[in-house]
Every structure is written in C-alpha cells, then in structure tokens.
Amino acid sequence: MTLQTLGEVPPGCRRRLLDHYGPAAEAWLRNAPFLLAEAAERWKLSLTSYHDAGHASAVALATAIDETPLILKAWYEPLRYRHETAALRTWAGGPTANLIESADDLSVAALELVGGRPGGAASIGRERQMIAAAIHGLHDFGRRRPRPDLPSLAYFHREIMLPRIRQRADKLDLGAGRALVEEACAGLPLLRDDPARTTVLHADLYRENVIFDRAGHPRLIDPHPLVGDAAFDWAFWTVYYDLEHEVTERLATAARISRIPVPDITPWCRALAVDGFLYYMEIDDSAKPKIEKVLSSFLASDLEGDR
C-alpha cells in the first residue's frame, strides 16, 4: 500500500536543517515525509499538516482515532531522538510534553499537543515564577527517577563547550571584545558539578521551548538533555530566556526557587554568555550587542538575588 504523505517538508524546515546540519541532511529531508507517514500508519493516526518549527526535526500535526490531536516529530539525528525520548520518559507526568508513542527504527515519536494547538495556549500571568516552578519540578522528577543514559554536563563542558570557546576565541577578530572574552574565560576550566544537585537537565531553555497548556501552566519542550548540576539549567534560563531583559530578576527567582546560591549559578551564566557571544560574533548575529551586554554585567559584578 502506498503511504499517504504530506508532501515535501516546508521550506522553513528544510532551510533550518540544512543550516544546522549541512548538505548531509538533504537525503533525510527527502525521506522525512515517508518516515512521518510510516509512523502515522503504524499508530493509526491521520496526518493533517506540517508544523514549521524546530532546527533538528520535521514536525507534523496528526489526529488519533479518538480525535485526540498529537504532534509527530521526526529527528534527523537518531542519537538526539534517543536522548530526547529518554528524558521525556524520565519526566513523564511532569511539566513537559508527554511522550505517547516512539519508533526507534524511524527516529519518530508522537507527543502530546500542549494547549491543543501548535505553540500552546496563553499564559495566565506570573510567568517568571511559574516557569521557575516548572524547572524545579522537572529537576525533581530527574532526581527521583532512574537516571537515563544521557551525556553528562561534565562531558559537555570539557569536550564540547570549552573546545569551541577556545577555537572561536583564537580564530575570530575580537577587537575591543578580546579583553571581555579573556576575562570571562579565566575560570572556565575550573567549573565543576556539585554531585548533590545532579539531575536530568533540559539544557535548552530558550523562550521558544517554553509553552503553556490550557490551564496556563508552562511546559518545557524540545530539550537537549544532559545529566548534571541543576545550576546549569538555572543559568541557561537566566541568560537566554529573554536575552538582555530581566536577567537580574530571573537570577533572583532562580536562586529563591532552587535554593542554589547566586554565586553557584553565576559562573555557569558567564560560561554560557561567553559561549553565546563568540557564536553570535562568528555568525554576525544581530543579537551580539545584547549578549555582550549580558556578559559584561556578569563580569562587572556579582548579581545579587534572593537566597
């Protein structure tokens, strides 16, 4: 029987995956509609349309036999599929999108459609406090349940983050920004996890990865999960959730909700900020002045927050 596909993936999806993975993704992009169609047939779902979002996958909307709307997600990287679905199983029932079905042979999963529509529903106010509570809840699930097979924060820091920071710092013409980068890099090799705070980390807490359910509660989606010190997630949210805006307030809220002291979170804030600054400089991104301002603020003084 011929599979009924949605046709070619949207141009935006195609462009983002080629930008992210390079020409090697071309063949997979041609095959992605068939992967989604095969999964839909296997799980007796009806595909309705593409949802043009994300940088590592092709996403479609589907409907189950009982009319429940779902998201179908096909990953380019099988390893990233395995990591994300492993984290979602650990967080099942928590503040994320629940995993409904998964197909290891296809690297495709069916996920809850949060809020009943792509992008979720509207928030109900007190956004900063509610998102902080969701992050804390996710970390609690990660501590209480069996540890999934995921990369460690220590590995990410040592083998990925530090080498790319050094490589970019060496090759880029930093101009007046060199002193800023050198100051930020001074303590990076000394960063260490606190084993008492080890949990499953979301590790990708940008604004677009926080959506809201019908009750207005935040759900943390599209993780790039690691296992390590919870301070890393709090730092990521502090720096990147709304770049340049309310950084001090997020740090204060992070420290209050997590009960991790501000001086334990800020070194990871500096590491993430200098990593982002060099990346934005390399690609000449318009966000470069914003991340530079954030990095400067962490180097100028220790930001104080609620303990």
Side-chain angles (χ1 to χ4, degrees), residues 112-125:
E112 172 190 12
L113 180 61
V114 175
R117 60 185 176 87
S123 69
I124 57 174

Side-chain angles (χ1 to χ4, degrees), residues 206-221:
Y206 294 103
R207 179 185 283 274
E208 59 263 31
N209 291 339
V210 179
I211 61 177
F212 296 85
D213 63 22
R214 285 191 174 100
H217 298 134
R219 303 285 197 95
L220 313 178
I221 64 167

Side-chain angles (χ1 to χ4, degrees), residues 188-267:
L188 292 188
L190 303 177
L191 270 175
R192 295 290 183 271
D193 282 36
D194 183 336
R197 298 195 295 254
T198 297
T199 187
V200 180
L201 305 172
H202 184 285
D204 212 26
L205 287 166
Y206 294 103
R207 179 185 283 274
E208 59 263 31
N209 291 339
V210 179
I211 61 177
F212 296 85
D213 63 22
R214 285 191 174 100
H217 298 134
R219 303 285 197 95
L220 313 178
I221 64 167
D222 295 345
H224 209 327
L226 301 168
V227 170
D229 192 333
F232 179 85
D233 262 356
W234 292 111
F236 200 112
W237 179 61
T238 294
V239 172
Y240 286 109
Y241 180 75
D242 190 359
L243 194 58
E244 191 186 12
H245 297 105
E246 296 190 336
V247 174
T248 305
E249 292 83 352
R250 279 196 300 280
L251 180 58
T253 302
R256 184 178 69 253
I257 298 296
S258 69
R259 298 189 178 181
I260 300 173
V262 166
D264 288 6
I265 300 174
T266 51

Side-chain angles (χ1 to χ4, degrees), residues 95-119:
T96 186
N98 287 312
L99 179 67
I100 309 300
E101 300 278 6
S102 59
D104 294 353
D105 58 323
L106 304 175
S107 295
V108 176
L111 307 169
E112 172 190 12
L113 180 61
V114 175
R117 60 185 176 87

